[in-house]
Amino acid sequence: MLHACLLPLLVAPAGAAAGDWTVLPLPSLCAESEAAGVPALDDGSHLVLSPSRSRRDWAENAPLVPSDVLDLLRRLGRSTGVDVELGPYAPPLLARGDADQMEWVRAELAGLAAAGARRELAYRAWLVPGRLAADELRARLAPDAALPETWTQWSGTAPSGLSVAFGRRTQRAFLADYEVNVATDSGVADPVVGTLLTGTTLHLEGARVDGGRRVHVRGLLDLAQPGELERFDPHSPDLGQLDQPHVRALTLRFSGVVAPGELLTVEIAGAPLDQPEWTLFVGAVGAPEADADAEHGWALVSHDLLSREGPRLEPFAPGAGLGGQAALPSLRPADEPTSAGALAGTADLGAQGSGAQGARAGRVLPLLHRAEHFTLFAATPESREARAGLERIVAALEAPRLRTETITLTHGALRLRFPVASGEPTRVLVGSERPLLVDYHTEIAPNTWMPAPVVERCFDGLAWQGRRDARGFHAQAFESRTLEVVRRDRQEAGLGAMQLPTREVHEGAATLTSGDTARLWDPGAAGDALTVSVEAR
């Protein structure tokens, strides 16, 4: 409160004399980052049967706090002989000195601001109905050309390591279930409102690699459209009707590495949607790192790809009686995160976490600041040498993960072709979902009891996932189908009417190397063959 009251007195007017306090802006690295847009459907389900479904945390703390900025400026000032006076606290960031000193501190803050701007990644994406080659897309993107109305174009920015969301999602509420509560002589069935999620969304998460010259991209494309809405009556005096919506969807997780002018391409044909054929193009551009010899320059060595936790795919099961028969297990990236401290230790950046100036083994330590997902280096000779060492370590660790392969899945009329980066988990879900009332539990209390319905999600379709590691590309899949759903009335079931599905499922798995094609299962009475091929991109 005291700072706020004094602020008008401390801001220097134009032409202020040397020695007056001046308020200076903090660099963007001191700001929190928060991705906007709808959350990704990480579990792959478009039916939310319980309101307790968790959401991903989209906010990230500021990588620098104001005290870090003060510390960096003070240490750099001592090392370069600039005796500018800085306020003891921030914000606001206060400085005073002569004209040369103030010019110096402004230049250093501008360098920090420029380093923060280089963390920003710019994305462009196009979703086109039908098949289209990348060269055809580029030809249609002339400045004076108008895109067809059926094309969808997205653009946006996000800091390296954070996600950006495009598209639109529709949420429809439906009466999904009843939560039964009983007590002595009484009981009540509380309605449980579920949510049907449909629409077209694209989530992208990029990381600066190769010194900012390329971008490692993770993508999740979701195409979902609603089907018919059925109602099921349990014919129980304690329960009302249930809504049972249908949804058809295709969810595809891809990844890859792009340089400026390059595009990741996803091709879809034979999807169970009104529009069965689509082509998705994704481009991402970052800024290469600053010249190591630039005066007042601050180099920012990013290691988001190495230090951040990658996506962990949750188990996915067909549900409705097949939960124990088949499922895609949890899948995470092949590489564990490497902390900034471990990278600094490998590169021998000094014993102190902030890279404090001092002598160690007869040498001057570099002036740097180690954040969670990047390291800042000042433009001093020792820092340039240390930066080069860290860049070599980061490049060596990144190199195996920058390899991108193209996966082709063929299953009957369905054909998918998409990129996957080495070590990244990928997953495809194609089919339909609906809820079914498959069982009852009995809630009992003194002098009363009530039936409690058991509602499960029923997935019919293809579920596939894969990941490359040092041994090869491992793929596994299952296909589930519902042959019929038999209704049992309350007179037959006792507690209430229920739905008894007859379902079948089959699974397959294979390990491939680049250039291989494998069949996860053969065609037959159960359905079409599933073929997977892997080729170098």
Side-chain angles (χ1 to χ4, degrees):
M1 179 63 73
L2 180 61
H3 285 168
C5 296
L6 293 176
L7 187 58
L9 303 177
L10 295 173
V11 178
D20 288 349
W21 285 106
T22 300
V23 175
L24 298 174
L26 288 166
S28 61
L29 291 170
C30 292
E32 270 193 0
S33 298
E34 185 171 357
V38 297
L41 298 183
D42 291 324
D43 62 1
S45 177
H46 298 82
L47 293 175
V48 183
L49 301 179
S50 170
S52 62
R53 182 173 182 169
S54 61
R55 284 186 49 148
R56 204 174 181 180
D57 184 6
W58 288 65
E60 180 173 82
N61 293 331
L64 290 186
V65 295
S67 60
D68 294 329
V69 178
L70 290 174
D71 180 61
L72 287 169
L73 293 175
R74 289 183 181 122
R75 286 161 45 207
L76 184 59
R78 288 195 297 268
S79 69
T80 56
V82 178
D83 190 21
V84 64
E85 185 177 359
L86 299 171
Y89 306 106
L93 179 58
L94 299 172
R96 65 180 175 185
D98 59 32
D100 290 340
Q101 292 169 337
M102 294 303 297
E103 181 181 358
W104 175 89
V105 74
R106 285 190 175 95
E108 294 302 330
L109 287 173
L112 286 171
R118 290 193 295 275
R119 291 186 71 225
E120 290 291 314
L121 302 178
Y123 299 95
R124 293 188 73 187
W126 298 265
L127 183 62
V128 179
R131 296 187 63 181
L132 190 73
D135 291 341
E136 295 178 82
L137 173 71
R138 294 186 179 96
R140 301 292 294 270
L141 293 179
D144 56 346
L147 296 181
E149 292 183 359
T150 56
W151 290 23
T152 301
Q153 179 176 239
W154 295 302
S155 62
T157 61
S160 177
L162 293 189
S163 61
V164 60
F166 301 118
R168 179 178 297 177
R169 177 176 295 154
T170 300
Q171 298 190 177
R172 292 178 174 87
F174 66 96
L175 206 165
D177 199 354
Y178 291 92
E179 182 177 345
V180 173
N181 298 283
V182 295
T184 301
D185 297 322
S186 64
V188 65
D190 291 333
V192 175
V193 177
T195 307
L196 172 66
L197 305 173
T198 59
T200 298
T201 58
L202 174 66
H203 290 79
L204 300 173
E205 179 184 303
R208 298 175 77 223
V209 294
D210 191 22
R213 291 178 286 273
R214 292 189 283 171
V215 180
H216 181 283
V217 179
R218 295 170 174 141
L220 179 63
L221 175 66
D222 184 69
L223 308 174
Q225 64 185 58
E228 61 180 321
L229 173 63
E230 298 179 355
R231 286 186 169 86
F232 184 80
D233 191 346
H235 287 296
S236 169
D238 301 310
L239 305 172
Q241 290 188 351
L242 296 175
D243 295 330
Q244 296 187 333
H246 294 232
V247 57
R248 291 175 289 156
L250 182 147
T251 303
L252 192 153
R253 186 178 291 273
F254 62 94
S255 55
V257 180
V258 290
E262 296 180 346
L263 295 170
L264 297 178
T265 303
V266 176
E267 300 174 9
I268 300 169
L273 305 168
D274 291 345
Q275 171 61 44
E277 197 168 25
W278 295 91
T279 307
L280 172 70
F281 301 97
V282 174
V285 178
E289 207 34 69
D291 182 359
D293 296 322
E295 187 179 6
H296 305 296
W298 289 83
L300 188 149
V301 179
S302 298
H303 37 77
D304 290 279
L305 181 62
L306 305 177
S307 55
R308 289 184 183 272
E309 190 83 33
R312 184 179 186 273
L313 308 189
E314 298 298 324
F316 185 84
L322 290 177
Q325 302 299 314
L328 294 181
S330 174
L331 188 64
R332 59 189 304 169
D335 301 285
E336 293 292 330
T338 303
S339 69
L343 292 171
T346 305
D348 192 24
L349 295 184
Q352 298 188 33
S354 297
Q357 194 92 1
R360 192 186 70 167
R363 65 183 176 89
V364 177
L365 295 181
L367 199 158
L368 59 88
H369 176 82
R370 191 172 69 236
E372 189 175 4
H373 302 300
F374 63 81
T375 303
L376 270 173
F377 292 89
T380 65
E382 299 80 16
S383 299
R384 294 187 187 106
E385 180 182 351
R387 169 194 167 187
L390 180 60
E391 287 177 331
R392 287 192 293 269
I393 295 296
V394 170
L397 292 173
E398 285 180 346
R401 303 176 63 172
L402 303 186
R403 173 185 179 184
T404 302
E405 295 174 307
T406 299
I407 307 298
T408 302
L409 282 184
T410 305
H411 181 249
L414 179 70
R415 185 180 184 275
L416 306 175
R417 185 175 171 84
F418 53 94
V420 178
S422 182
E424 290 294 315
T426 177
R427 177 176 284 181
V428 172
L429 304 173
V430 187
S432 63
E433 299 173 73
R434 58 174 168 163
L436 295 174
L437 197 165
V438 297
D439 201 355
Y440 288 92
H441 295 312
T442 305
E443 297 292 332
I444 302 174
N447 302 323
T448 190
W449 65 271
M450 286 183 65
V454 176
V455 177
E456 293 186 4
R457 177 187 58 87
C458 176
F459 171 80
D460 289 321
L462 174 68
W464 174 94
Q465 69 182 22
R467 187 193 67 189
R468 167 170 286 284
D469 61 20
R471 297 174 296 152
F473 188 92
H474 306 281
Q476 59 188 133
F478 72 79
E479 183 183 20
S480 56
R481 293 196 300 174
T482 300
L483 304 180
E484 65 173 341
V485 178
V486 176
R487 176 190 175 95
R488 285 289 183 263
D489 291 329
R490 185 188 177 205
Q491 292 82 357
E492 300 173 292
L495 297 179
M498 56 193 298
Q499 296 163 296
L500 302 179
T502 300
R503 311 192 68 198
E504 67 177 17
V505 63
H506 52 275
E507 300 177 276
T511 298
L512 303 84
T513 59
S514 188
D516 281 354
T517 298
R519 182 174 285 180
L520 272 63
W521 57 71
D522 294 321
D528 298 305
L530 174 62
T531 302
V532 182
S533 67
V534 180
E535 57 186 285
R537 180 171 176 264

